[in-house]
Amino acid sequence: MIHFLKNLISRCAKFKTGQIIVHNDRELLLLGKLASFEIEQKKAINTLKDVEFQVYSQWGEDGIIDWLVQNIPVKNKSFIEFGVENYRESNTRFLLQNHNWKGLIMDGNQDYMDAIRLEELYWKYDLTAKAAFITVENINNLIEASGFYGDVGLLSIDIDGNDYWVLKSLDIITPSILVCEYNPVLGDLKAITVPYRPDFNRFKAHYSGLYFGASIMAIQIAAKKKGYKFVGTCSNGINAFFVKDELFHYVEKSIGDIRSYPSRHRDSRDQIGELSFTSGQDRLDLIKDMPVIDIKDDRLVTLSSLDTLYSEEWLSMM
């Protein structure tokens, strides 16, 4: 099988300086299928990093999700993802096209959702695209009104703001696999999140765009209360992965080191909205006077008033 796929790739993709130049969506999916086949052979891994690959995801999430669905008996082959923009870069598109799952995607931009409904993708697969700005107050109703409730295969939350609060408020669905964005700039030692505002916008909240979401510890606490076990993060330090408590034993012995990662990406903006490429702990300095909720004490504090936010392990990787 693997030799067949490699030969097929050589006929439909060109190579230049050791890199595969992909010309269309079919070739991209073909390469993804090859990567999927290769990680299927990996029954034991060190960290989730070992199974990362990127087809449509921003980083290595496609591979991690593919490995999880191959190793966990998911009853309902369906997904929900919100914060997808135009759906060209997402955590569930490869799942849709490679495994033919059905899904619901949502984004606050009406034009994006309208454009997706005009794509060939929309009639080829069982996909629902809904325009909605996600809040704590509307998330359960939006999902139920779209025909999704109870058991679903996977939920992916990436809304660059109220992620912790929305996760905490969700009660209409029970995904087998949970993927939730965290803000690595907020560190790994404190359970903190931005205060809830229904109209939260990361660039309106702070010009840098670095003030949003919640720390990895806050997301872990919220997920644990929902009945989920942490299985790790992508190596780029942006998405955390969880599985339902009763399914954890399927992967518990397969992952040698369940860990979280900091990030090195430099997407901060300056005061006129241009990339400033701020890195490391300097990113935290930009937003140190901003308020956060310490969820363990349920108190409002500024980031600068907290003790060290980064573990020595995280600092060594930043």
Side-chain angles (χ1 to χ4, degrees):
M1 175 67 173
I2 193 165
H3 296 297
F4 168 77
L5 285 172
K6 285 182 176 178
N7 289 334
L8 193 56
I9 287 171
S10 68
R11 293 199 300 269
C12 57
K14 293 184 178 179
F15 294 79
K16 183 179 181 181
T17 61
Q19 295 182 334
I20 298 175
I21 310 301
V22 179
H23 293 288
N24 59 49
D25 195 57
R26 290 186 179 183
E27 292 171 12
L28 187 63
L29 280 171
L30 184 60
L31 294 171
K33 286 180 181 294
L34 174 58
S36 176
F37 180 81
E38 288 182 341
I39 68 165
E40 188 179 2
Q41 315 309 310
K42 295 186 176 184
K43 300 304 179 185
I45 60 175
N46 183 31
T47 70
L48 294 183
K49 180 181 179 180
D50 293 345
V51 291
E52 289 183 337
F53 65 77
Q54 176 190 32
V55 181
Y56 296 114
S57 57
Q58 185 177 25
W59 307 107
E61 293 89 349
D62 281 330
I64 294 171
I65 291 170
D66 204 67
W67 185 81
L68 288 173
V69 302
Q70 288 176 11
N71 287 278
I72 293 173
V74 177
K75 290 189 299 182
N76 193 326
K77 303 296 194 296
S78 62
F79 64 80
I80 298 171
E81 181 175 12
F82 33 92
V84 299
E85 296 187 348
N86 63 7
Y87 204 47
R88 296 306 303 177
E89 186 176 84
S90 72
N91 288 335
T92 60
R93 184 163 177 148
F94 185 64
L95 193 59
L96 176 80
Q97 296 185 248
N98 189 48
H99 292 286
N100 199 27
W101 282 28
K102 65 179 291 187
L104 166 66
I105 57 174
M106 292 187 282
D107 193 87
N109 188 307
Q110 181 73 54
D111 291 339
Y112 283 151
M113 296 297 98
D114 289 344
I116 290 168
R117 285 191 283 268
L118 295 176
E119 291 185 26
E120 183 181 66
L121 173 90
Y122 205 68
W123 65 261
K124 279 190 170 182
Y125 301 95
D126 190 350
L127 182 67
T128 301
K130 175 173 286 190
F133 189 86
I134 306 299
T135 68
V136 164
E137 293 78 16
N138 68 15
I139 185 57
N140 288 297
N141 289 336
L142 285 170
I143 292 173
E144 186 175 27
S146 301
F148 290 77
Y149 51 85
D151 287 333
V152 297
L154 181 140
L155 169 67
S156 179
I157 302 174
D158 178 0
I159 52 177
D160 291 342
N162 292 318
D163 305 73
Y164 167 84
W165 303 107
V166 169
L167 173 59
K168 184 180 177 183
S169 67
L170 267 169
D171 56 25
I172 193 69
I173 54 169
T174 52
S176 297
I177 300 167
L178 169 66
V179 186
C180 190
E181 183 181 55
Y182 62 99
N183 184 349
V185 178
L186 300 180
D188 62 321
L189 295 181
K190 301 292 183 181
I192 52 180
T193 179
V194 297
Y196 179 68
R197 283 190 55 173
D199 61 346
F200 185 90
N201 179 292
R202 63 185 288 193
F203 289 103
K204 291 181 179 178
H206 192 273
Y207 68 85
S208 68
L210 298 176
Y211 176 70
F212 68 92
S215 67
I216 180 62
M217 184 180 288
I219 297 298
Q220 286 176 300
I221 288 173
K224 184 177 181 179
K225 288 180 179 178
K226 292 286 184 182
Y228 290 85
K229 290 281 198 306
F230 178 60
V231 294
T233 76
C234 57
S235 61
N236 291 82
I238 197 69
N239 275 307
F241 295 81
F242 305 84
V243 298
K244 289 176 69 173
D245 286 349
E246 58 266 36
L247 298 174
F248 180 63
H249 69 278
Y250 287 101
V251 294
E252 181 179 10
K253 295 181 180 179
S254 298
I255 307 173
D257 185 9
I258 295 176
R259 62 160 60 187
S260 65
Y261 286 90
S263 71
R264 288 181 174 174
H265 57 268
R266 304 176 300 151
D267 60 346
S268 62
R269 288 345 193 236
D270 59 24
Q271 294 188 1
I272 61 173
E274 296 183 353
L275 282 167
S276 60
F277 305 106
T278 307
S279 63
Q281 294 185 74
D282 291 340
R283 296 173 298 177
L284 180 60
D285 288 340
L286 289 176
I287 58 172
K288 64 182 180 180
D289 296 323
M290 299 300 290
V292 291
I293 300 289
D294 183 333
I295 64 172
K296 287 187 175 180
D297 299 327
D298 192 26
R299 61 192 180 104
L300 184 68
V301 297
T302 60
L303 283 167
S304 60
S305 70
L306 297 171
D307 295 332
T308 303
L309 298 183
Y310 304 110
S311 66
E312 289 299 323
E313 182 181 26
W314 266 37
L315 286 172
S316 69
M317 292 188 287
M318 287 173 62

